[in-house]
Amino acid sequence: MGFSGLLWRRLSRVLVMSQPEARAFSARKNKAPKEPLRHIKNRARQEAAERHAPAVVYVQVVAAGSRDAGSSVYVFSDHRRYLFNCGEGVQRLMHENKVKLSRLDNVFITRMNWANVGGLSGVLLTLRDVGLPDCVISGPPQLKKYLQAIKTYCGAMDGLTVDVRPYTDPLYNDETMSVTQVPIFIAGSASPPRSPSPKPEADESHSDARQGRTSPDFRTRPSSRSPPCVISYVCKLHDRKGHFLVLKAKEIGLPVGKREIGPFIAELKAGRSVTYEGKEVSPADVLSPDVPGPAFIVVECPSEDFITPVTENVAWKRYQEGKAETAAALVIHMTPEHVLNHRIYRQWMERFGPSTQHLLLNEHSSTVHNLSSYKVQSQLHLIHPDIFPQLPEIRPKDEASHVPGVRAECLLKYQLRPKLDWQRDQVVQNQTSEFVKEAMELPGFGRALEECQRLLQTDGTPAEEGVNVQYPEVVFLGTGSAVPMKTRNVSGTLVHVSPSAAMLLDCGEGTFGQLHRHYGERVDEVLSRLSAVFISHIHADHHTALYNVCMYCILLQASLGKPFSPVLVIGPTVVMTWLNQYNDHCQEILHNIRWGAHRSQMGVLHCRLSR
């Protein structure tokens, strides 16, 4: 067997290794309950005593809003962790960059859009598996319906209690900060409508679609989706108590250095006066002034329709009055470039004053996400440049306007405590030459690489006359199982059948991001050829990028002037149940899909390609 045969044999072994996924899934369901996580135990112990405001708090960009990653921000404190939006690929980014999911217990969603919730089901499954007891999700009115819909393929979240805090419950408060939800509706839809009456069971036209059979009115299903709504968040850190001034306490005569000083300090820090040897001591006598907690705001303004209701909302007024004690330290804008450039929106940004920093997350981000993909590919490129081509470089958008603010980059931090400061020490950079150098320094790698190249030169097999050696072309976008890893994404295989047609075999979370990293600016050209997606089975790691891929295909058809042609999706009928529920209550998708069902629980696709 030649070198290429050995290589493909090894690749096939990788695929075979991922097959026990179903058995592993069953094993996870039946395993013994885990002990409470260490930080949960510590929190329970600390809650019995007085909790002080955290000494370290920072905001960190997880995903900067570019096409291959949505907009997502992580907030770290000594006590808790928070996530604002959870699009596709967030779990993989957090795993790669050692941002612990096990500490996450609050997720805030700004809008019911796949770019904001596409990775939420995978994150919840991981939180369940690591033993987190509960998680609270806050956001738009469709959240409960979304969580009900994902049970179609996630099943019950046994062991993890997922609570939804509706947008009508404005204030959340814990030992780190208070978070106020600010719901914003476009004009004419000030509140969501009442849910429609249940559909009759005898509605044959819609039951056909649910069972996987195409029906004449498949794309005209009645919808109970709430009107467009975005949720902004005003986050205020609690004031940090002043320090105990030892020298002043000694001058007053308190028993500093003795055991009995402990209760006195506790009472004083709680804001109560104490009496010692007949002398009353107030907190102001022995404590430094409290340190006010800074505030930050998270805003999404997805279109020009929302500019007026966002900018005229009274929730921002106190942070725009020019007073130092109420000024917002940071405003996070998850807003497209054309909205940032709008005159009214720019004027609203300026009203926050010069002390407020602005962080901009949108499609004009030019940061590198998933650095490990670039590193591994550049090293494999040394072995076989044709099979492992270099990934295209991320270039800054020349047309990006000069909006006042800081462009988001993956892992960029803004520190809120102990001092306000930007931190770029963890921002990722694609340094191909360094990755190559690292590989070449491995013991024996250079010698093995020379042997590999010699084998490649002697392994060439002449092509048969009349046979097209270019097609079919198979591109492995993901060969991982269950959970995306930093070096391997979950299932997804692109097959170029001809110069004008392609299909996807499975479409796990992050598939579009993999396509974008592999093809760069050519991704539109590739997606315009996609005609079918085959889903093997219902597990989340095989289909949760379906919405994103189908939406991009339809948008590309319109932008390229092509006639409307829904993407053919073939999969188990339960996939259609999930899509129906998401379409009815969250976001429209059905009109982009032409459905075909396979009847097996675990689908197998047999392809025979003729000459």
Side-chain angles (χ1 to χ4, degrees):
M1 181 182 292
F3 178 80
S4 59
L6 286 169
L7 180 61
W8 284 111
R9 186 176 174 185
R10 290 184 181 180
L11 286 173
S12 65
R13 260 183 210 162
V14 171
L15 295 175
V16 171
M17 286 170 64
S18 68
Q19 293 306 309
E21 174 196 6
R23 295 192 295 274
F25 179 79
S26 299
R28 286 202 307 273
K29 289 175 65 177
N30 299 323
K31 64 184 178 183
K34 292 188 175 184
E35 286 289 317
L37 297 172
R38 185 191 307 168
H39 77 274
I40 301 294
K41 292 180 180 179
N42 292 340
R43 184 183 298 166
R45 284 196 296 266
Q46 292 167 347
E47 283 174 353
E50 183 184 357
R51 297 289 304 266
H52 301 294
V56 177
V57 184
Y58 60 77
V59 172
Q60 187 167 32
V61 176
V62 177
S66 57
R67 291 184 70 186
D68 63 321
S71 298
S72 183
V73 170
Y74 179 76
V75 178
F76 170 97
S77 83
D78 294 341
H79 305 326
R80 291 183 182 268
R81 313 288 191 270
Y82 314 83
L83 187 66
F84 289 83
N85 285 342
C86 187
E88 280 188 52
V90 163
Q91 180 177 198
R92 186 181 182 191
L93 285 166
M94 294 179 75
H95 172 77
E96 175 174 346
N97 297 303
K98 297 181 174 57
V99 180
K100 286 190 176 180
L101 269 175
S102 61
R103 304 296 296 269
L104 181 66
D105 49 18
N106 271 278
V107 180
F108 300 92
I109 305 297
T110 58
R111 181 170 62 113
M112 182 50 65
N113 184 277
W114 194 254
N116 297 344
V117 299
L120 189 54
S121 59
V123 165
L124 291 176
L125 287 170
T126 299
L127 293 179
R128 180 198 66 185
D129 290 345
V130 299
L132 194 76
D134 50 63
C135 180
V136 179
I137 305 176
S138 307
Q142 304 94 334
L143 270 178
K144 282 190 176 180
K145 295 292 186 181
Y146 170 80
L147 292 174
Q148 289 174 6
I150 65 175
K151 286 182 180 179
T152 306
Y153 58 87
C154 289
M157 293 286 177
D158 297 332
L160 174 67
T161 302
V162 182
D163 293 324
V164 173
R165 191 169 64 87
Y167 72 98
T168 52
D169 182 9
L171 184 65
Y172 166 82
N173 194 40
D174 61 23
E175 62 275 12
T176 297
M177 63 182 181
S178 63
V179 182
T180 303
Q181 296 192 89
V182 182
I184 299 170
F185 295 86
I186 58 175
S189 58
S191 61
R194 289 179 297 177
S195 298
S197 58
K199 301 179 183 70
E201 293 182 5
D203 189 346
E204 297 294 336
S205 61
H206 301 313
S207 64
D208 281 348
R210 290 192 188 92
Q211 295 302 318
R213 297 186 291 273
T214 304
S215 60
D217 61 345
F218 178 69
R219 297 180 191 90
T220 59
R221 294 168 53 85
S223 168
S224 62
R225 290 188 295 271
S226 299
C229 169
V230 295
I231 309 296
S232 295
Y233 297 95
V234 178
C235 309
K236 173 70 167 60
L237 270 61
H238 296 315
D239 296 349
R240 187 161 177 77
K241 296 294 184 182
H243 297 294
F244 182 69
L245 303 175
V246 176
L247 294 179
K248 280 195 174 184
K250 281 184 177 180
E251 291 175 5
I252 292 173
L254 291 178
V256 176
K258 299 180 181 179
R259 181 176 297 177
E260 57 264 35
I261 192 62
F264 288 116
I265 294 176
E267 287 291 303
L268 290 165
K269 286 196 170 184
R272 295 183 287 268
S273 298
V274 299
T275 302
Y276 181 71
E277 294 183 348
K279 183 185 296 184
E280 183 177 356
V281 180
S282 68
D285 295 333
V286 291
L287 294 179
S288 63
D290 290 352
V291 180
F296 67 94
I297 298 171
V298 180
V299 177
E300 180 177 9
C301 188
S303 68
E304 293 183 355
D305 293 335
F306 280 95
I307 290 178
T308 298
V310 165
T311 57
E312 293 183 356
N313 197 291
V314 297
W316 331 116
K317 186 176 180 182
R318 63 174 299 195
Y319 302 101
Q320 295 176 320
E321 292 175 343
K323 298 178 181 178
E325 62 271 17
T326 60
L330 177 69
V331 179
I332 301 169
H333 303 266
M334 300 178 177
T335 301
E337 196 71 15
H338 72 277
V339 175
L340 286 176
N341 279 314
H342 197 282
R343 176 181 56 84
I344 296 176
Y345 196 89
R346 292 279 287 268
Q347 291 174 349
W348 174 72
M349 291 176 64
E350 292 167 0
R351 289 203 294 271
F352 280 96
S355 64
T356 299
Q357 297 289 322
H358 295 270
L359 178 61
L360 314 177
L361 294 84
N362 64 18
E363 72 281 5
H364 281 261
S365 166
S366 58
T367 188
V368 173
H369 295 98
N370 301 104
L371 184 63
S372 291
S373 296
Y374 291 86
K375 177 179 179 178
V376 170
Q377 192 80 0
S378 63
Q379 293 174 341
L380 290 172
H381 180 77
L382 297 171
I383 300 172
H384 200 301
D386 295 330
I387 295 179
F388 303 104
Q390 285 282 21
L391 299 182
E393 292 185 11
I394 303 295
R395 294 185 175 87
K397 297 285 192 302
D398 295 333
E399 66 273 21
S401 59
H402 299 289
V403 179
V406 176
R407 295 282 172 179
E409 298 176 86
C410 186
L411 300 188
L412 175 67
K413 285 183 184 179
Y414 184 73
Q415 184 176 267
L416 295 162
R417 271 193 177 138
K419 64 177 182 177
L420 303 176
D421 186 31
W422 290 104
Q423 296 182 340
R424 297 180 48 84
D425 54 297
Q426 292 186 12
V427 172
V428 297
Q429 300 290 338
N430 183 18
Q431 298 176 322
T432 303
S433 59
E434 291 298 318
F435 301 150
V436 171
K437 180 181 177 183
E438 178 183 325
M440 297 303 295
E441 289 176 350
L442 292 173
F445 181 83
R447 187 168 56 256
L449 182 60
E450 291 177 2
E451 178 66 13
C452 173
Q453 291 171 345
R454 185 185 64 78
L455 287 171
L456 280 173
Q457 291 172 358
T458 59
D459 190 58
T461 303
E464 297 180 31
E465 187 177 352
V467 175
N468 188 333
V469 296
Q470 186 177 3
Y471 296 100
E473 179 187 62
V474 180
V475 180
F476 296 99
L477 301 170
T479 58
S481 173
V483 180
M485 307 299 287
K486 68 178 184 178
T487 54
R488 290 204 300 171
N489 202 53
V490 290
S491 298
T493 303
L494 179 69
V495 181
H496 291 280
V497 180
S498 72
S500 60
M503 64 178 176
L504 271 172
L505 309 180
D506 280 333
C507 193
E509 179 187 339
T511 293
F512 177 80
Q514 292 287 90
L515 284 165
H516 190 271
R517 282 185 286 277
H518 185 76
Y519 290 104
E521 298 303 321
R522 291 180 51 226
V523 67
D524 291 352
E525 174 191 341
V526 172
L527 279 176
S528 68
R529 305 172 192 161
L530 187 67
S531 56
V533 181
F534 176 85
I535 305 298
S536 60
H537 62 289
I538 191 57
H539 287 165
D541 56 322
H542 289 263
H543 72 84
T544 45
L546 186 59
Y547 181 92
N548 209 15
V549 168
C550 289
M551 284 299 297
Y552 267 111
C553 288
I554 300 304
L555 289 173
L556 281 171
Q557 288 178 13
S559 64
L560 296 174
K562 292 185 175 183
F564 173 76
S565 176
V567 179
L568 174 63
V569 177
I570 301 172
T573 54
V574 70
V575 172
M576 197 64 236
T577 303
W578 142 248
L579 292 174
N580 274 319
Q581 291 186 26
Y582 188 79
N583 178 86
D584 291 352
H585 304 296
C586 302
Q587 218 177 341
E588 193 171 7
I589 178 63
L590 294 184
H591 75 289
N592 295 333
I593 291 175
R594 183 161 54 94
W595 175 250
H598 61 64
R599 299 298 175 184
S600 61
Q601 184 71 21
M602 188 77 72
V604 179
L605 184 65
H606 297 275
C607 300
R608 186 177 187 279
L609 299 167
S610 59
R611 293 186 178 181

